[in-house]
mmCIF file of all heavy atoms in Angstrom:
data_model
loop_
_atom_site.group_PDB
_atom_site.id
_atom_site.type_symbol
_atom_site.label_atom_id
_atom_site.label_comp_id
_atom_site.label_asym_id
_atom_site.label_seq_id
_atom_site.Cartn_x
_atom_site.Cartn_y
_atom_site.Cartn_z
ATOM 1 N N TYR A 1316 26.090 -31.986 23.211
ATOM 2 C CA TYR A 1316 24.955 -32.251 24.093
ATOM 3 C C TYR A 1316 25.280 -31.840 25.529
ATOM 4 O O TYR A 1316 24.393 -31.511 26.311
ATOM 5 C CB TYR A 1316 24.579 -33.733 24.051
ATOM 6 C CG TYR A 1316 23.664 -34.098 22.907
ATOM 7 C CD1 TYR A 1316 24.085 -34.962 21.905
ATOM 8 C CD2 TYR A 1316 22.371 -33.577 22.816
ATOM 9 C CE1 TYR A 1316 23.244 -35.311 20.855
ATOM 10 C CE2 TYR A 1316 21.530 -33.922 21.765
ATOM 11 C CZ TYR A 1316 21.975 -34.783 20.790
ATOM 12 O OH TYR A 1316 21.147 -35.111 19.753
ATOM 13 N N ARG A 1317 26.563 -31.879 25.880
ATOM 14 C CA ARG A 1317 26.988 -31.502 27.222
ATOM 15 C C ARG A 1317 27.415 -30.049 27.322
ATOM 16 O O ARG A 1317 27.576 -29.524 28.421
ATOM 17 C CB ARG A 1317 28.155 -32.397 27.669
ATOM 18 C CG ARG A 1317 27.837 -33.886 27.647
ATOM 19 C CD ARG A 1317 29.055 -34.697 28.052
ATOM 20 N NE ARG A 1317 28.786 -36.128 27.994
ATOM 21 C CZ ARG A 1317 29.704 -37.063 28.263
ATOM 22 N NH1 ARG A 1317 30.927 -36.705 28.611
ATOM 23 N NH2 ARG A 1317 29.379 -38.336 28.191
ATOM 24 N N GLU A 1318 27.633 -29.420 26.166
ATOM 25 C CA GLU A 1318 28.192 -28.068 26.173
ATOM 26 C C GLU A 1318 27.134 -26.975 26.072
ATOM 27 O O GLU A 1318 27.335 -25.880 26.586
ATOM 28 C CB GLU A 1318 29.189 -27.917 25.007
ATOM 29 C CG GLU A 1318 30.369 -28.870 25.056
ATOM 30 C CD GLU A 1318 31.351 -28.509 26.148
ATOM 31 O OE1 GLU A 1318 31.354 -27.343 26.589
ATOM 32 O OE2 GLU A 1318 32.111 -29.398 26.583
ATOM 33 N N VAL A 1319 26.022 -27.260 25.388
ATOM 34 C CA VAL A 1319 25.025 -26.213 25.147
ATOM 35 C C VAL A 1319 23.824 -26.417 26.059
ATOM 36 O O VAL A 1319 23.531 -27.529 26.486
ATOM 37 C CB VAL A 1319 24.569 -26.192 23.668
ATOM 38 C CG1 VAL A 1319 25.745 -25.890 22.762
ATOM 39 C CG2 VAL A 1319 23.931 -27.514 23.270
ATOM 40 N N ARG A 1320 23.139 -25.314 26.337
ATOM 41 C CA ARG A 1320 21.970 -25.397 27.218
ATOM 42 C C ARG A 1320 20.759 -25.959 26.489
ATOM 43 O O ARG A 1320 19.912 -26.603 27.094
ATOM 44 C CB ARG A 1320 21.649 -24.003 27.782
ATOM 45 C CG ARG A 1320 22.658 -23.507 28.790
ATOM 46 C CD ARG A 1320 22.113 -22.311 29.570
ATOM 47 N NE ARG A 1320 21.872 -21.165 28.712
ATOM 48 C CZ ARG A 1320 22.785 -20.233 28.447
ATOM 49 N NH1 ARG A 1320 23.999 -20.328 28.960
ATOM 50 N NH2 ARG A 1320 22.508 -19.211 27.666
ATOM 51 N N ASP A 1321 20.654 -25.691 25.200
ATOM 52 C CA ASP A 1321 19.526 -26.186 24.408
ATOM 53 C C ASP A 1321 20.038 -27.236 23.425
ATOM 54 O O ASP A 1321 20.552 -26.900 22.355
ATOM 55 C CB ASP A 1321 18.861 -25.040 23.650
ATOM 56 C CG ASP A 1321 17.671 -25.505 22.825
ATOM 57 O OD1 ASP A 1321 17.242 -26.667 23.025
ATOM 58 O OD2 ASP A 1321 17.177 -24.721 21.993
ATOM 59 N N PRO A 1322 19.929 -28.534 23.773
ATOM 60 C CA PRO A 1322 20.487 -29.580 22.903
ATOM 61 C C PRO A 1322 19.651 -29.877 21.670
ATOM 62 O O PRO A 1322 20.071 -30.646 20.815
ATOM 63 C CB PRO A 1322 20.533 -30.797 23.829
ATOM 64 C CG PRO A 1322 19.402 -30.588 24.787
ATOM 65 C CD PRO A 1322 19.307 -29.092 24.989
ATOM 66 N N ALA A 1323 18.461 -29.285 21.566
ATOM 67 C CA ALA A 1323 17.601 -29.585 20.414
ATOM 68 C C ALA A 1323 18.291 -29.218 19.103
ATOM 69 O O ALA A 1323 18.121 -29.898 18.089
ATOM 70 C CB ALA A 1323 16.273 -28.850 20.541
ATOM 71 N N GLY A 1324 19.074 -28.142 19.121
ATOM 72 C CA GLY A 1324 19.776 -27.739 17.908
ATOM 73 C C GLY A 1324 20.787 -28.771 17.443
ATOM 74 O O GLY A 1324 20.998 -28.966 16.248
ATOM 75 N N VAL A 1325 21.421 -29.460 18.396
ATOM 76 C CA VAL A 1325 22.380 -30.505 18.040
ATOM 77 C C VAL A 1325 21.669 -31.650 17.331
ATOM 78 O O VAL A 1325 22.138 -32.167 16.317
ATOM 79 C CB VAL A 1325 23.107 -31.023 19.301
ATOM 80 C CG1 VAL A 1325 24.160 -32.052 18.915
ATOM 81 C CG2 VAL A 1325 23.754 -29.878 20.066
ATOM 82 N N THR A 1326 20.522 -32.052 17.863
ATOM 83 C CA THR A 1326 19.762 -33.143 17.249
ATOM 84 C C THR A 1326 19.326 -32.771 15.835
ATOM 85 O O THR A 1326 19.377 -33.593 14.920
ATOM 86 C CB THR A 1326 18.525 -33.482 18.103
ATOM 87 O OG1 THR A 1326 18.944 -33.748 19.442
ATOM 88 C CG2 THR A 1326 17.799 -34.692 17.556
ATOM 89 N N THR A 1327 18.905 -31.534 15.642
ATOM 90 C CA THR A 1327 18.502 -31.085 14.307
ATOM 91 C C THR A 1327 19.648 -31.221 13.321
ATOM 92 O O THR A 1327 19.452 -31.630 12.171
ATOM 93 C CB THR A 1327 18.024 -29.619 14.363
ATOM 94 O OG1 THR A 1327 16.920 -29.521 15.261
ATOM 95 C CG2 THR A 1327 17.602 -29.140 12.989
ATOM 96 N N LEU A 1328 20.869 -30.890 13.767
ATOM 97 C CA LEU A 1328 22.025 -31.019 12.895
ATOM 98 C C LEU A 1328 22.321 -32.476 12.577
ATOM 99 O O LEU A 1328 22.731 -32.808 11.464
ATOM 100 C CB LEU A 1328 23.257 -30.385 13.559
ATOM 101 C CG LEU A 1328 23.183 -28.887 13.823
ATOM 102 C CD1 LEU A 1328 24.488 -28.384 14.375
ATOM 103 C CD2 LEU A 1328 22.825 -28.130 12.558
#
Side-chain angles (χ1 to χ4, degrees):
Y1316 276 116
R1317 303 178 182 178
E1318 300 288 339
V1319 298
R1320 289 195 296 270
D1321 181 12
V1325 183
T1326 306
T1327 301
L1328 297 184

